[in-house]
Amino acid sequence: MRRRDFLLQTAAAVALAETPAFAQQPKKVSMWHIYNNEADMIHLGIKKFHEVQNDYRVEQRLVPYVQINPELIRAIATGSPPDIIVINDPDIASYASQGQFTDLTDRVAASKVIDASKYFKGPQTSDRWKGRQYAVAREVNTLGLYYNAEMFRAKGLDPDKPPTTWSEVAAAAEKLVDPAKNVFGLGFCAHQSEQSTFQWLPWLWQAGGSIDKLDQPEAAEALGYWADMVKRGLTSRDVINQPQGEVINSFLGGGSAMAVGGPWELPRFRREAKFDWRVALLPVKDGRNVRASSLGGFHFAIPKGAKEVDGAFKVIEAMSDPALFREGWTTSGLLAPRGDIEIADPAWPQAYAVFREQMKTAIQRGPHPQWSQLSRPIQIAIQEALTGTKPAAAALKDAAAKIAPVLARNPL
């Protein structure tokens, strides 16, 4: 080839490469999550991420909550995991202990956006396994006591002074229950799933009990309280079949005057509540005054085998930007995982203040690599006690025997 022809062809190739059609395409970052609500902050975060950079584009896949773990396990086994997964906090230890999540410790330490020291203690603990960090909290939630202020007034109760102890809740429930109108005093979730464990653990901790001592009187007292509320007709027997959302359905429909629930329900109240409602801190056990609630929330993790680890972490940083929290959580009901981030103008000021206060004493589940093997016997014990199949103490003694070998291998 003559020199002149070579130079002409080279110049033409360079010109083509510089045209938009041949410009470098952004890399794809695959993300699996459960948020089909377009108002959720995750969609705002992706939008803003795309606006500030051109190197990466997020490809979302919506996965139903009950399928997220089976789908992820299958994807890891076949070598085709997503680059980012949104995972429930008690599940992190299981994946991390098996080497199935990417260690993010050094990336988080070097990040100018994620300041791990500012996160609530619970998420800090949930994100770690053996001193290393494998996830970054997306949001946090906890439980409070919703109550119908109008029903309180109708029964001579002061809605400005909600019940603060177990005995006060039971006494209020006695006044509020109305069999003729099919109204119960208190609703809580006893569904045989992780949701019942999540809702019962605060009562266990308030009684001075713990998961590794389920065969002790404190645990029996906590479960006995729930069973007694059902036995006395102050709580519907249907709670054994009701997930958390259905418990709140009943409350919103006038089926109960009080209900245990989380801040994620707040957007529904704006749409559906036709009455004056409020939120109070969970009651404490008389004489102990131990303030406790369960910690919930979902976290971002990068599975081992992800193709775009660098891009995935950039997305996590974008989702962890304090400015995004302040803009995105105004109407979501959920709380930022950092204690230094407050919502300036929340849609529900009273409820927001209560849940934020409750977060100070919210306790994470675990972390434990076999959390499901600890939770399942508790779920069964709750069902047995509330149906009257076994006394609370006997049901929990059986649960303690089932989890003892699990705790012997990996203590809490």
Side-chain angles (χ1 to χ4, degrees), residues 203-214:
W203 308 80
L204 173 68
W205 294 323
Q206 290 162 13
S210 60
I211 294 174
D212 57 350
K213 296 178 180 179
L214 292 179

Side-chain angles (χ1 to χ4, degrees), residues 36-47:
N36 61 354
N37 181 0
E38 286 298 320
D40 188 275
M41 173 189 149
I42 202 166
H43 301 288
L44 176 63
I46 292 171
K47 178 176 178 290

Side-chain angles (χ1 to χ4, degrees), residues 262-376:
W264 62 86
E265 301 285 8
L266 290 169
R268 294 177 56 197
F269 279 73
R270 166 176 283 177
R271 299 189 306 268
E272 302 174 27
K274 308 299 182 185
F275 54 87
D276 180 11
W277 59 271
R278 303 181 193 177
V279 183
L281 295 171
L282 288 181
V284 297
K285 186 179 182 304
D286 302 77
R288 284 190 176 271
N289 298 319
V290 175
R291 183 74 66 192
S293 185
S294 285
L295 174 73
F298 282 80
H299 301 234
F300 292 111
I302 301 176
K304 268 296 182 64
K307 296 180 177 62
E308 287 293 344
V309 176
D310 289 342
F313 191 74
K314 288 182 182 296
V315 174
I316 293 175
E317 285 189 306
M319 295 290 178
S320 304
D321 188 336
L324 180 64
F325 283 123
R326 294 187 180 97
E327 179 179 353
W329 294 117
T330 303
T331 58
S332 73
L334 297 171
L335 302 174
R338 292 171 52 150
D340 64 329
I341 299 176
E342 291 194 46
I343 305 302
D345 187 25
W348 309 273
Q350 187 270 338
Y352 176 78
V354 170
F355 281 117
R356 187 171 172 80
E357 179 65 24
Q358 190 77 75
M359 269 301 304
K360 296 177 181 178
T361 51
I363 301 170
Q364 75 277 10
R365 288 157 288 168
H368 196 279
Q370 285 87 41
W371 174 256
S372 63
Q373 295 179 42
L374 303 181
S375 178
R376 197 170 300 113

Side-chain angles (χ1 to χ4, degrees), residues 168-249:
E168 288 178 2
V169 167
E174 286 182 343
K175 291 186 177 181
L176 292 161
V177 69
D178 191 339
K181 296 181 179 179
N182 201 30
V183 176
F184 290 90
L186 175 68
F188 50 73
C189 174
H191 184 261
Q192 191 172 333
S193 66
E194 180 62 27
Q195 295 182 22
S196 63
T197 302
F198 181 67
Q199 289 220 351
W200 180 69
L201 284 177
W203 308 80
L204 173 68
W205 294 323
Q206 290 162 13
S210 60
I211 294 174
D212 57 350
K213 296 178 180 179
L214 292 179
D215 55 355
Q216 298 301 304
E218 293 82 0
E221 203 167 7
L223 185 52
Y225 181 86
W226 269 25
D228 188 58
M229 293 293 285
V230 172
K231 184 178 180 180
R232 294 167 60 189
L234 304 180
T235 294
S236 171
R237 294 182 180 275
D238 290 338
V239 294
I240 63 170
N241 300 315
Q242 292 177 334
Q244 293 182 104
E246 291 186 16
V247 172
I248 298 302
N249 284 345

